[in-house]
Amino acid sequence: MKQRVGLVGAGLMGHGIALNILRHGHALVVLEHPGNQPLGELEALGARTAPSGTQLAAQSDVVILCVTGAPQVESVLCDADGVLEGLQRDAIVVDCSTSLPTTSVRMDAAVQAAGGKFVDAPMTRTAAEARAGKLNLLVGGDVQTLERVLPLLRCFAENVTHAGPVGAGHRLKLLHNFVSLGCIALISEAAGHALSSGIAPDVFVNVLASGGGAGVALNRISPVVLDREAAGMQFSMSNALKDLRYYTGMVGDARGADEIARAVAQTLERTLGTLAPHALVSDLVHALAERNRRAANA
């Protein structure tokens, strides 16, 4: 059954989600926002826009959020003229942002009080997979709500994993991103030392690929090491740092071990301080190599 879908956040990831929703024949309205990608491609497929969250929600059976983090999720839903003011009875809010589990639990209560249902469904993979309709979604929420929205999610997701109750999707996403970013940071630091000490980039990559460094992280970072090509790593360092801080906050609330995560976050924070605000995670390799060269020449 075709649904009326509202999307908040047609940025790098959200644009691909929107494209696949339209390709599958669903009606789509997008919140007007300066952070959106150009909407011409979506409008050519029939997408409409709304100036406020209230007006968007009033036209939607399902509202998908794809915003930066927990403060933006809460603002979009709860602010004056926000989504909750226009939410239709029994509508479903799907939060695909990277947020905090505690925020998801609070937003679930707020959405239910407004007469709707809520699931957290953060994404893994990249903007290329979003455009191809091959994201991974990690869903927190009750099974009945997931079953209702699952056909829509499958428009833009190859794999949908039910992680548990509301908040479990974001808990699992933060665990995933810690592992992913941690591996990338580790390889980047090693690559920085290789480049600054005269090890040939192709030799470094080949040795890791045929040994203990093989895997997704190396596949994503090796084009940067070899050719400074960052097409596969369009993820900002500031967002990566935000995700790691969310992770350490979550683990800190449970009084768990977080020494490695804090070290990775410190590396990103220190490096970002020397780069442009919109630097990418892929910039870490050559920034660390340059830091090593300066230290050696000091």
Side-chain angles (χ1 to χ4, degrees):
M1 185 175 66
K2 302 306 178 184
Q3 294 180 297
R4 300 177 304 158
V5 183
L7 175 70
V8 180
L12 201 60
M13 301 295 286
H15 189 277
I17 290 174
L19 190 62
N20 284 285
I21 289 171
L22 290 164
R23 284 171 174 168
H24 283 79
H26 299 282
L28 180 70
V29 57
V30 177
L31 182 66
E32 296 167 9
H33 191 276
N36 290 338
Q37 296 286 302
L39 298 180
E41 183 180 21
L42 303 181
E43 291 172 332
L45 292 172
R48 294 172 292 110
T49 64
S52 72
T54 298
Q55 292 184 39
L56 177 141
Q59 306 172 59
S60 304
D61 305 308
V62 178
V63 176
I64 297 175
L65 311 182
C66 192
V67 297
T68 303
Q72 291 78 18
V73 169
E74 189 161 0
S75 175
V76 161
L77 290 176
C78 301
D79 281 359
D81 217 12
V83 166
L84 294 188
E85 290 189 3
L87 195 68
Q88 300 298 287
R89 184 74 184 175
D90 214 29
I92 301 174
V93 175
V94 180
D95 182 15
C96 291
S97 319
T98 299
S99 187
L100 288 163
T102 51
T103 297
S104 293
V105 171
R106 287 191 293 104
M107 293 303 97
D108 174 47
V111 169
Q112 289 197 51
K117 302 289 186 181
F118 178 93
V119 295
D120 50 307
M123 308 165 279
T124 69
R125 295 186 169 172
T126 68
E129 279 100 5
R131 189 173 180 86
K134 294 184 177 182
L135 290 171
N136 295 330
L137 296 181
L138 314 175
V139 181
D142 66 72
V143 174
Q144 292 77 14
T145 304
L146 174 56
E147 287 177 349
R148 281 182 55 199
V149 80
L150 186 58
L152 178 64
L153 301 184
R154 292 208 180 279
C155 291
F156 56 89
E158 183 176 35
N159 301 298
V160 180
T161 300
H162 185 221
V166 168
H170 279 126
R171 191 173 301 277
L172 187 55
K173 172 64 184 291
L174 296 180
L175 290 165
H176 169 277
N177 276 23
F178 164 53
V179 172
S180 176
L181 292 168
C183 290
I184 287 171
L186 185 150
I187 292 172
S188 295
E189 184 173 301
H193 283 292
L195 295 176
S196 63
S197 63
I199 299 293
D202 59 330
V203 173
F204 171 79
V205 169
N206 290 338
V207 166
L208 263 62
S210 61
V216 173
L218 180 64
N219 292 342
R220 288 184 176 172
I221 209 70
S222 58
V224 180
V225 178
L226 295 171
D227 304 312
R228 289 183 177 261
E229 173 57 60
M233 281 289 296
Q234 297 297 313
F235 188 47
S236 74
M237 207 175 293
S238 59
N239 272 345
L241 184 56
K242 178 264 296 180
D243 290 359
L244 284 167
R245 286 171 174 163
Y246 281 1
Y247 173 82
T248 56
M250 177 182 76
V251 173
D253 289 343
R255 298 186 178 182
D258 64 356
E259 292 86 353
I260 296 172
R262 288 185 180 278
V264 175
Q266 184 179 38
T267 297
L268 291 178
E269 185 172 27
R270 181 179 177 185
T271 305
L272 187 57
T274 68
L275 301 173
H278 299 297
L280 302 175
V281 171
S282 55
D283 294 325
L284 191 59
V285 171
H286 293 283
L288 292 175
E290 182 59 29
R291 186 196 302 177
N292 294 337
R293 294 187 188 100
R294 288 199 304 267
N297 294 327

